[in-house]
Each structure stands twice: as structure tokens, then as C-alpha cells.
Amino acid sequence: MRKHVLLAVLLTVVFAPLASVSAAEGDYLLRVGAQNVDPEDDNGSLLGLDVNVDDAWGMTFNGEWMWKKNWGIEVLAAYP
């Protein structure tokens, strides 16, 4: 657990200056990232059948149009 917290802090310190880029009204922002879906182990049953859902990583994409200086409209897409 401590290793994960240390890694998260280290990544935040390294990449935070990149995230602080300011966007003006009318700008478009495009982002690519990774997302993990990790459900709990006890998935239960559905209609008498056992249900098993595994964890998985996938790519995410989003685009944002800045409506005002601090307000934007964002669309999120994910690749399974």
C-alpha cells in the first residue's frame, strides 16, 4: 500500500506541471489515457447462474471544447 501511495505522489509531482496548462475560451483539448475497471471478487449470481467479472485495462479518449475560461463541454470515449 505504501508503495502505491509513494508512486502516486511521485507521478503527481512529475506530471502536475503538464496538467496546469491554461485553456482559453474557444479552445479544444484532446486527451488520451488508461483506465482500469476492477470489480470486487464476489460477483454473485444472476437468474441462478454464477456471474464472474474480471478486471481489465482499456484506453480512454476525450475531447473538450472550452465554452468559457473555466467551463467546458467534454465527450468521453473508451476502448474496451
Side-chain angles (χ1 to χ4, degrees):
M1 179 69 174
R2 295 185 79 190
K3 290 181 183 179
H4 293 292
V5 172
L6 182 61
L7 180 62
V9 169
L10 180 65
L11 290 173
T12 301
V13 169
V14 171
F15 291 109
L18 298 175
S20 66
V21 175
S22 179
E25 183 177 331
D27 284 353
Y28 290 94
L29 305 172
L30 298 174
R31 298 181 193 102
V32 176
Q35 178 177 341
N36 183 292
V37 177
D38 191 10
E40 293 186 22
D41 293 334
D42 184 21
N43 294 288
S45 62
L46 179 65
L47 300 174
L49 302 172
D50 287 336
V51 177
N52 186 16
V53 179
D54 294 327
D55 68 318
W57 281 91
M59 290 195 64
T60 58
F61 309 92
N62 65 17
E64 183 175 7
W65 172 67
M66 296 304 293
W67 175 53
K68 296 285 184 186
K69 182 179 178 185
N70 295 319
W71 293 88
I73 298 172
E74 183 175 5
V75 176
L76 173 67
Y79 184 76

